[in-house]
Amino acid sequence: MRLPRSSTIDLSLLLMTPCDERSERKLSDLRGQFLDTEAYERELARGDPLLYMVYQNLGHGGAGELYHGLTVLQPGRVGCEYYMTKGHFHAALDTSEVYYCLRGKGYMLMETPQGDTACEAMAPGLVVYVPGTWAHRMVNVGEDPLLALFVYPGYAGHDYGTIEQRGFRRVIVERTGQPAVVDNPRWNRQDRRH
Ligand code: M6P
Ligand code: ZN
C-alpha cells in the first residue's frame, strides 16, 4: 500500500527527517577522484572528514516512483579542488534529475558520455535540471554547506564506473581566491562505458 507522506528539511540542523535512507560520504570514499593525490593523502593522514550527507525517501520501488531527498555537501578543498560529490551517470542512462538549491554556493558539473560538458550555478532559489544521459556532480565553492533538494525516477539507479575511471572532463579549482572551471588532465575520451 503506497501511502502519502511528508518529511521536513531542517535548514538549521542540515537534515531531512523522517527519511528512508541516510548515507554519508567521507574523504576516503572519494579515493582517486581528486586531482592532487599528494594533498589527498595529506588530508587523509590528518583524518577522514565528512564530505557530504544524503537523506533519501525511496518510495515503494514502483516504476513511477520519484526518489527525493536532501544532499548536504560540506565546504572544503583538497589541494585547490573544492569538495564535491562522487558524481554519476544514471544506470538507466536516459533518466533526468532536478535539484533545487536551498543554501550555499556551488556548481553542478555535468557531462554526456560523448564528453559534452555543462556547469550550472547553484545558489538558493536556483533549480538545476539535469537532462537524461548527463552525468552530474555537485561542487561546493562556498564557505558554508551546500544544500539541495533532489528528485529523480526511482528506477534511475547510479552508475559510478565511468566517473571513477576518468573523472569529469572539467574540474573546479580555486584560482586567486575564485572558483575556476578548468580541463581535467586525467580525462580521456576513450575511457567510457556508454
Ligand atoms: C543526489 C542524488 C542521490 C546521490 C547524491 C550523491 O543527492 O542524485 O541519488 O546519491 O546526489 O551523489 P553521488 O551518488 O554522486 O555521491
Ligand atoms: Zn543522479
Side-chain angles (χ1 to χ4, degrees):
M1 173 77 167
R2 299 172 195 175
L3 294 173
R5 64 188 296 188
S6 300
S7 295
T8 300
I9 287 179
D10 189 317
L11 293 181
S12 50
L13 295 177
L14 307 184
L15 53 77
M16 181 178 83
T17 183
C19 67
D20 296 330
E21 192 179 85
R22 173 185 175 279
S23 50
E24 63 179 39
R25 291 271 194 242
K26 295 188 165 186
L27 186 61
S28 54
D29 292 314
L30 273 78
R31 178 169 290 282
Q33 295 307 298
F34 289 95
L35 284 181
D36 187 338
T37 50
E38 285 176 22
Y40 178 83
E41 295 304 337
R42 266 199 316 275
E43 289 297 321
L44 214 49
R46 287 199 199 114
D48 193 6
L50 173 73
L51 298 190
Y52 57 101
M53 294 296 298
V54 181
Y55 303 86
Q56 278 197 94
N57 284 333
L58 305 177
H60 297 264
E65 287 286 349
L66 291 175
Y67 287 9
H68 55 283
L70 173 74
T71 294
V72 181
L73 174 59
Q74 293 301 320
R77 288 201 315 274
V78 175
C80 59
E81 196 172 3
Y82 294 100
Y83 280 2
M84 57 192 182
T85 59
K86 287 182 76 171
H88 58 268
F89 285 98
H90 286 157
L93 186 61
D94 193 4
T95 49
S96 54
E97 187 158 355
V98 172
Y99 286 79
Y100 174 53
C101 184
L102 299 164
R103 231 183 85 164
K105 183 171 180 258
Y107 290 93
M108 183 66 74
L109 272 178
M110 291 171 274
E111 73 182 50
T112 65
Q114 296 72 29
D116 308 303
T117 64
C119 182
E120 291 287 329
M122 295 184 80
L126 289 180
V127 178
V128 177
Y129 171 62
V130 182
T133 76
W134 288 73
H136 38 290
R137 164 182 275 170
M138 278 172 63
V139 181
N140 186 344
V141 301
E143 304 293 321
D144 300 308
L146 178 63
L147 275 71
L149 165 73
F150 59 85
V151 183
Y152 65 103
Y155 69 91
H158 296 82
D159 167 8
Y160 294 103
T162 302
I163 300 301
E164 281 170 348
Q165 199 172 16
R166 72 178 185 188
F168 275 71
R169 187 171 191 173
R170 299 279 189 275
V171 294
I172 304 185
V173 297
E174 184 182 55
R175 286 269 164 85
T176 59
Q178 294 301 318
V181 183
V182 300
D183 286 344
N184 173 357
R186 240 184 69 204
W187 191 86
N188 175 339
R189 181 182 299 278
Q190 306 313 321
D191 293 341
R192 68 182 210 219
R193 300 269 173 94
H194 303 284

